[in-house]
Amino acid sequence: MATIQIKDHKKYAKAIGLLYEMGGLFHTKPTRQIVVGPYQLQVLRQAGLVPQANGAKKRAKGKS
């Protein structure tokens, strides 16, 4: 299960609508967070509602 946060309220509403259409289980949390399974996450990414990045932050060289 992956937890994603969508800050844009329009994208969040579209994501919830898409998840309802797909069926299956998902959970919502405060501050526009959605807990979804791997397939649902993939569908949301393909729809352009979730960034493609894996969430890892890169650290600049020489800084700690």
Side-chain angles (χ1 to χ4, degrees), residues 12-56:
Y12 180 78
K14 287 180 184 179
I16 295 294
L18 183 61
L19 290 170
Y20 275 127
E21 287 178 18
M22 287 177 48
L25 298 174
F26 65 93
H27 303 282
T28 58
K29 292 183 171 184
T31 65
R32 295 191 182 117
Q33 291 182 347
I34 307 171
V35 181
V36 295
Y39 177 72
Q40 293 168 321
L41 180 61
Q42 181 181 9
V43 170
L44 291 174
R45 283 186 176 154
Q46 289 176 351
L49 300 172
V50 178
Q52 296 292 333
N54 61 3

